[in-house]
Amino acid sequence: MVWKNLKQSIVLSGVLIMGVLPSYIRAQDLKEFEKNVTEFTLDNGLKFLVLERHQAPVVSFHTYADVGSVDEVKGITGMAHLFEHMAFKGSRSVGTRDYLAEAEAMKRVDEAFHALKRERSKLGEDRQNSLQNMEKRLEEAQEEASLHLVHDEFEQALIREGAGGLNASTSRDATRYILSMPSNKVELWMSLESDRFFQPVLREFYKERDVVMEERRLRTESQPVGRLMEEFVAVAYKAHPYGEPTIGHMSDLETMTREEAQVFYNKYYSPGNLTIAIVGDVDPSQIRELAQTYFGRIPSGPKPDQVETVEPTQLGERRVTIEESSQPFILMGYHKPGINHPDNAVFDAITDILGVGRTSRLYKGLVREKKIAVSVSAFQGFPGSKHPGLFVFYAVPSRGSTPLECELALTAEIEKLKTELVSVEELEKAKTRARAGLIRALSSNSGLARQLTFFEVVTGDWKNLFTQLEQVEQVTADDIQRVAKGYFEKRNRTVGLIETSPAGE
């Protein structure tokens, strides 16, 4: 259960748990692959990557919005994630019976919420009856607005035509919208997907915000590992917005407005901040024509500025401990550069050698030999990979063992990287798994679309998907020792602990 909760927390934070990032196998394969990729950019700035794969009459779509919780400011944390929930609400023509009447009704909802928000901010007087009346007014306004909408019309229109895997996700770095459909339904997707960016409607905003608040209660506030993860990241970052939770702070969720959401959308969902990958049984010339017809109508806008805040160099170890009536737990994180740094491939190799699978050093040392942990691993890319992140170690102590014992054992394994060169066999095994990782990552249309958009946006060129392996292949034992000495220092470390409270003994 502890591992399940950690995994949920990590996924919410946008972590890639699987060791090394995938790459292609040989240079000639990349050249062959490139022949099947068509890329073009519309006049409004929206970029398309189209990959032909005619093995089956299906196609996968990935719309990648270059906006995540890292782009938020205090007061609207959780806004990027809320747009994941708003993704399928439709537009002015989809999801409504009468948009003009609905728009007026939504204004009344906004007015009712603002009145409630002002009343909640008052101090020093008994306002219980007044608050109840205003909450009732808000509820009634929402019910009135709901009379004009058609629930799930956007989603159902796609599902009826064979859509599968319809979903959205938010991380600190990005928001993604994914879908697969029969290849003869490409124009339907073009029409519906473009429509929600052309004339979006943030309907049921406060209801969806309430859903997000409940999600926060369930996945963070009521889960010990979720609470630790939030505290751990907040302690690790004192300046960079990676330190804020993707789910948002509860007080921000309680007070954010639809008007604030519209401003956020207008800034970060302009065509120049979107990249779309289409992979499957398609004709690139037809895709280009349809893209121009449907997506070309969306007005262009300025590309938003990237985050400029730089996390200061950490001057000493930071620690956070929470007491819970639950399984003890330990996290250790070391600051490291982002994915575009030359040492990224070295961290990939370290991930594999230390933390991937039952043959990894950590598993053999802490689980099989010392028997002080029931689960242990190491990985990079947390909380994100676009900006400098953390290389994280974690361990779940076994019965009778303590987080401190696990911490000492983890530290000993880290120190061994500094004092002893890894073996030729370990390094070759890491490189072999990198090649196998590529095959897994590129085995499906959806996987390909996901990787193409990620590498295009985060590294600046989708072809870097394939150069990753070349970089891993060039990693030496000396590189691993150098990186371990340079980054895995105590002063660069943040430690998070769950210690069993007396009530849990």
Side-chain angles (χ1 to χ4, degrees), residues 3-172:
W3 162 239
K4 180 180 179 182
N5 293 339
L6 175 63
K7 187 175 180 181
Q8 289 175 341
S9 298
I10 291 172
V11 168
L12 282 174
S13 303
V15 174
L16 179 63
I17 301 175
M18 297 293 294
V20 293
L21 292 168
S23 312
Y24 219 51
I25 298 175
R26 298 181 302 272
Q28 59 264 38
D29 293 319
L30 170 57
K31 293 178 181 178
E32 194 64 32
F33 188 92
E34 283 187 89
K35 294 179 182 178
N36 294 317
V37 177
T38 299
E39 51 183 309
F40 60 88
T41 302
L42 301 180
D43 291 341
N44 59 16
L46 203 162
K47 183 157 191 177
F48 282 82
L49 302 171
V50 184
L51 172 59
E52 294 181 77
R53 297 184 90 202
H54 299 292
Q55 292 91 333
V58 293
V59 57
S60 291
F61 307 92
H62 273 237
T63 301
Y64 188 108
D66 188 16
V67 53
S69 59
V70 73
D71 298 294
E72 297 164 350
V73 296
K74 293 285 191 181
I76 60 165
T77 61
M79 185 69 81
H81 175 246
L82 184 55
F83 273 98
E84 173 190 330
H85 287 252
M86 301 301 297
F88 310 112
K89 293 299 181 180
S91 64
R92 296 185 184 185
S93 56
V94 178
T96 186
R97 292 184 173 87
D98 182 344
Y99 173 69
L100 294 179
E102 182 187 21
E104 290 300 317
M106 286 191 293
K107 287 182 182 178
R108 290 189 284 274
V109 173
D110 293 335
E111 291 168 359
F113 178 77
H114 281 288
L116 176 60
K117 183 178 176 179
R118 287 193 297 271
E119 188 67 16
R120 284 173 173 168
S121 68
K122 295 178 181 179
L123 301 174
E125 50 185 287
D126 184 7
R127 309 182 317 282
Q128 189 62 36
N129 290 336
S130 177
L131 286 173
Q132 288 179 350
N133 290 335
M134 290 188 172
E135 287 169 353
K136 183 178 180 181
R137 179 186 168 193
L138 174 60
E139 183 178 342
E140 291 172 346
Q142 289 177 314
E143 288 302 315
E144 179 191 352
S146 70
L147 297 176
H148 301 288
L149 63 87
V150 181
H151 283 285
D152 301 325
E153 185 175 27
F154 176 87
E155 183 176 355
Q156 290 303 316
L158 293 165
I159 291 175
R160 282 195 303 269
E161 300 300 328
L166 181 63
N167 208 345
S169 64
T170 310
S171 69
R172 282 176 169 83

Side-chain angles (χ1 to χ4, degrees), residues 96-379:
T96 186
R97 292 184 173 87
D98 182 344
Y99 173 69
L100 294 179
E102 182 187 21
E104 290 300 317
M106 286 191 293
K107 287 182 182 178
R108 290 189 284 274
V109 173
D110 293 335
E111 291 168 359
F113 178 77
H114 281 288
L116 176 60
K117 183 178 176 179
R118 287 193 297 271
E119 188 67 16
R120 284 173 173 168
S121 68
K122 295 178 181 179
L123 301 174
E125 50 185 287
D126 184 7
R127 309 182 317 282
Q128 189 62 36
N129 290 336
S130 177
L131 286 173
Q132 288 179 350
N133 290 335
M134 290 188 172
E135 287 169 353
K136 183 178 180 181
R137 179 186 168 193
L138 174 60
E139 183 178 342
E140 291 172 346
Q142 289 177 314
E143 288 302 315
E144 179 191 352
S146 70
L147 297 176
H148 301 288
L149 63 87
V150 181
H151 283 285
D152 301 325
E153 185 175 27
F154 176 87
E155 183 176 355
Q156 290 303 316
L158 293 165
I159 291 175
R160 282 195 303 269
E161 300 300 328
L166 181 63
N167 208 345
S169 64
T170 310
S171 69
R172 282 176 169 83
D173 291 338
T175 307
R176 297 164 291 266
Y177 305 98
I178 64 177
L179 172 67
S180 295
M181 293 195 74
S183 54
N184 62 352
K185 301 298 179 182
V186 169
E187 187 166 7
L188 173 65
W189 176 86
M190 287 276 187
S191 174
L192 290 173
E193 184 78 351
S194 64
D195 193 46
R196 63 171 169 163
F197 291 108
F198 178 51
Q199 47 182 10
V201 176
L202 305 183
R203 51 176 58 96
E204 295 190 297
F205 176 81
Y206 298 104
K207 288 186 178 181
E208 289 302 326
R209 181 212 57 171
D210 291 344
V211 172
V212 173
M213 289 167 63
E214 184 62 19
E215 186 178 332
R216 177 181 169 81
R217 294 185 189 100
L218 291 174
R219 297 187 179 182
T220 299
E221 296 180 359
S222 64
Q223 298 290 343
V225 174
R227 290 195 289 271
L228 176 64
M229 294 291 287
E230 188 167 284
E231 293 293 322
F232 172 77
V233 176
V235 170
Y237 288 91
K238 71 175 187 179
H240 195 274
Y242 266 173
E244 303 294 341
T246 299
I247 194 70
H249 294 293
M250 186 62 84
S251 60
D252 287 351
L253 294 170
E254 289 174 337
T255 56
M256 65 175 51
T257 66
R258 193 165 67 97
E259 294 93 335
E260 289 174 324
Q262 190 65 59
V263 171
F264 186 85
Y265 182 92
N266 293 342
K267 180 177 181 180
Y268 290 105
Y269 278 82
S270 63
N273 212 38
L274 302 176
T275 302
I276 296 177
I278 301 176
V279 179
D281 183 29
V282 294
D283 175 359
S285 60
Q286 180 196 31
I287 293 295
R288 187 191 294 263
E289 181 179 342
L290 291 172
Q292 183 59 57
T293 298
Y294 289 101
F295 285 94
R297 58 185 171 158
I298 304 173
S300 62
K303 176 115 175 133
D305 294 333
Q306 293 292 306
V307 173
E308 296 179 342
T309 302
V310 176
E311 182 66 21
T313 300
Q314 190 166 310
L315 301 179
E317 183 187 63
R318 301 170 186 169
R319 301 181 74 90
V320 58
T321 301
I322 63 175
E323 292 189 353
E324 298 282 354
S325 300
S326 69
Q327 171 76 48
F329 200 86
I330 179 170
L331 284 167
M332 294 170 53
Y334 295 83
H335 287 280
K336 60 169 290 295
I339 191 173
N340 294 310
H341 191 276
D343 284 334
N344 187 69
V346 183
F347 284 107
D348 279 339
I350 293 174
T351 295
D352 189 279
I353 292 168
L354 283 185
V356 177
R358 292 173 176 265
T359 61
S360 67
R361 287 188 176 189
L362 295 182
Y363 188 89
K364 287 191 294 185
L366 277 70
V367 178
R368 287 169 52 187
E369 295 173 6
K370 294 185 175 67
K371 295 180 170 46
I372 60 174
V374 295
S375 181
V376 62
S377 192
F379 53 87

Side-chain angles (χ1 to χ4, degrees), residues 368-412:
R368 287 169 52 187
E369 295 173 6
K370 294 185 175 67
K371 295 180 170 46
I372 60 174
V374 295
S375 181
V376 62
S377 192
F379 53 87
Q380 69 159 324
F382 178 78
S385 55
K386 184 162 65 172
H387 305 280
L390 300 172
F391 192 99
V392 175
F393 299 83
Y394 80 84
V396 181
S398 58
R399 183 180 293 275
S401 299
T402 67
L404 178 58
E405 288 178 273
C406 290
E407 179 181 347
L408 293 174
L410 287 170
T411 303

